[in-house]
Amino acid sequence: MKNFTVLDLIDMDLKEHNSLNLRCIGGRKGLVREITVPELNRPGLALSGFFDNFAFQRIQIFGRGENAYLRKLEKEDNTRTLAEMFSYEFPCSIFTHNLQPTKDFTEISERMNCPMLSTDLTTSELTTRLVWALSNVFAPQKTIHGVLVEVYGIGVLITGRSGVGKSETALELIERGHRLVSDDVVEIKCVSGSVLMGSGANKVIGHHMEIRGLGIINIAHLYGVAAIRDKKQIQLVVELETWDPEKEYDRLGSHENTTELLGVSVPYLKIPVKPGRNVPILIETAAMNERLKKMGYHSAKEFNQNILKWLESESIRSVYSKKKSFR
Amino acid sequence: MVEKKITIKNRAGIHARPAAMIVQLANKFESDIYFEKDNDRINGKSIMGIITLGAGYNTTLKIIAEGTDEEEALASIAKLFETKFEEE
């Protein structure tokens, strides 16, 4: 996990259509302060001078109540409590309802280089949105060597050893109208405990691909915006493997294999690659099959059910016709 | 498994050309090769992976090789870093 600073928080908010509407109103020098925990704190007790168990690592939220208390402190000319509060290095303060902090508070924030942010949201609204945003930032994550593509709306992660043809397969899929999320390096985040979000690890790399023999190509420019996506939930993992004649491959697909990524199990297929096998079409079909399964139709199981029914009727028929012939 | 810490000594850091050199060299070996920066670990046989590390001048990286020819792989890749990718 890279350092996540207050500046990153504002930056992230800007990118995500300002759902938090955060503005910095003071203490700009402290924007590099790091946010280390995804929780929030309302510093009511701290303001009243009680600092036991003060959760200073958290972002401090000032709503109407806290702001009113700040005004009371100013009226009483009490700067000691604020000084003590600022001796704990909390990441930043956020004022909701577009509230203006008191002069004392502004002064000390500037002096201690502690950023002050403001938003027009209500405290409860900000809390829900901010907790959600932060839990995404602090979600468990890892980077994986593979290609993430969206095929018929299904996020397919293609993995396999270097040189097995992941990028070429993805290129063919893009050519067939599917979308590239990330080539070579996929960053996976486990959002809200069960959803695996995959995205590119680095904005600089964007939607470039490296194809042996061609070099580096830019998918966004070659195929247009319709061929790319920034992130996508991973719903199927396909591992490409060089065909091994000694090995037994799944012929029925009635048994569902899964693999674990960050503790979440995802449907998993192993597709052997050899010249003449059109892997992109196999992946397209696998994705469509996955959609069917999601809709409650399992091709392999349904097929087997039909066979069972047919065998049953055949055996009844043969018993019946045997009886007849005895007469 | 063998590993070695190295520091990037060429001014430009690892941009596309050095990344391609590393990958070409890494692909000659049977062993799996990884690079580690902070907590990120990426596959040493992928150009995009290596560029993603964002390894600039004076960054410390860990090279990890695992496989039948790991010693040889590690030595030749480390040598590539030491010679500053024939850049300077």
Side-chain angles (χ1 to χ4, degrees), chain A residues 116-117 162 178 222 300 303 322:
Chain A
M116 291 188 297
L117 310 182
S162 185
H178 304 294
L222 281 172
F303 178 68
K322 250 181 221 157

Side-chain angles (χ1 to χ4, degrees), chain A residues 8-282:
Chain A
D8 290 330
L9 175 70
I10 298 175
D11 211 39
M12 181 185 79
D13 186 33
L14 270 180
K15 264 181 220 139
E16 299 193 344
H17 313 293
N18 256 327
S19 67
L20 303 172
N21 234 335
L22 291 175
R23 288 178 297 124
C24 181
I25 53 171
R28 283 194 168 73
K29 280 184 195 148
L31 283 175
V32 291
R33 285 198 184 192
E34 200 182 323
I35 300 171
T36 52
V37 287
E39 288 105 17
L40 310 174
N41 187 43
R42 296 192 66 173
L45 283 172
L47 286 174
S48 70
F50 185 76
F51 288 99
D52 290 10
N53 283 327
F54 175 42
F56 65 91
Q57 310 88 338
R58 301 180 182 181
I59 295 173
Q60 308 293 324
I61 307 285
F62 289 77
R64 283 202 175 115
E66 287 81 2
N67 205 46
Y69 201 87
L70 282 179
R71 258 180 265 138
K72 176 172 170 277
L73 285 179
E74 191 169 54
K75 215 176 273 171
E76 290 167 359
D77 216 14
N78 179 347
T79 51
R80 219 189 51 244
T81 329
L82 277 184
E84 188 168 356
M85 185 175 165
F86 275 86
S87 70
Y88 295 90
E89 293 216 333
F90 55 89
C92 67
S93 53
I94 300 181
F95 288 82
T96 57
H97 299 281
N98 264 336
L99 290 168
Q100 279 300 317
T102 60
K103 222 192 221 161
D104 284 350
F105 192 90
T106 316
E107 258 174 40
I108 196 164
S109 290
E110 291 291 354
R111 199 170 65 238
M112 303 297 285
N113 292 331
C114 179
M116 291 188 297
L117 310 182
S118 153
T119 173
D120 56 355
L121 297 176
T122 63
T123 312
S124 50
E125 190 60 37
L126 174 85
T127 316
T128 19
R129 293 191 194 179
L130 192 54
V131 164
W132 189 80
L134 287 177
S135 68
N136 276 354
V137 172
F138 287 87
Q141 62 179 72
K142 79 188 232 189
T143 44
I144 276 196
H145 180 61
V147 189
L148 181 58
V149 278
E150 184 206 62
V151 181
Y152 294 124
I154 298 276
V156 183
L157 177 70
I158 307 171
T159 63
R161 289 184 69 95
S162 185
V164 78
K166 297 183 291 293
S167 297
E168 286 79 359
T169 304
L171 190 62
E172 169 82 34
L173 284 168
I174 294 161
E175 179 72 46
R176 296 169 73 88
H178 304 294
R179 299 192 172 107
L180 173 75
V181 183
S182 176
D183 176 42
D184 241 11
V185 190
V186 184
E187 193 171 273
I188 301 176
K189 261 187 185 175
C190 175
V191 185
S192 61
S194 61
V195 174
L196 288 172
M197 246 334 153
S199 61
N202 193 324
K203 285 273 173 279
V204 180
I205 285 175
H207 295 91
H208 288 82
M209 276 183 112
E210 187 240 332
I211 305 282
R212 250 147 269 201
L214 286 182
I216 290 175
I217 55 172
N218 187 342
I219 296 301
H221 285 175
L222 281 172
Y223 294 91
V225 275
I228 55 168
R229 260 195 90 122
D230 277 343
K231 54 181 177 185
K232 173 70 194 165
Q233 186 187 348
I234 297 171
Q235 289 150 307
L236 177 66
V237 176
V238 174
E239 187 182 342
L240 301 185
E241 173 181 87
T242 336
W243 186 293
D244 180 357
E246 302 291 302
K247 212 165 160 181
E248 280 291 320
Y249 293 103
D250 194 2
R251 303 292 290 266
L252 291 175
S254 53
H255 177 73
E256 275 171 57
N257 288 316
T258 57
T259 184
E260 287 233 333
L261 287 172
L262 294 172
V264 180
S265 65
V266 197
Y268 167 83
L269 289 177
K270 189 176 257 181
I271 296 187
V273 180
K274 73 173 177 186
R277 261 172 82 85
N278 192 332
V279 180
I281 290 186
L282 297 180

Side-chain angles (χ1 to χ4, degrees), chain A residues 2 143 145 161-162 183-185 201-202 205 208-210, chain B residues 27 30 32 39-41 43 45-49 51-52:
Chain A
K2 287 162 214 144
T143 44
H145 180 61
R161 289 184 69 95
S162 185
D183 176 42
D184 241 11
V185 190
N202 193 324
I205 285 175
H208 288 82
M209 276 183 112
E210 187 240 332
Chain B
N27 268 307
E30 185 67 28
D32 288 324
N39 291 324
D40 291 337
R41 174 190 267 224
N43 191 318
K45 295 184 180 178
S46 122
I47 285 202
M48 291 303 183
I51 295 174
T52 310

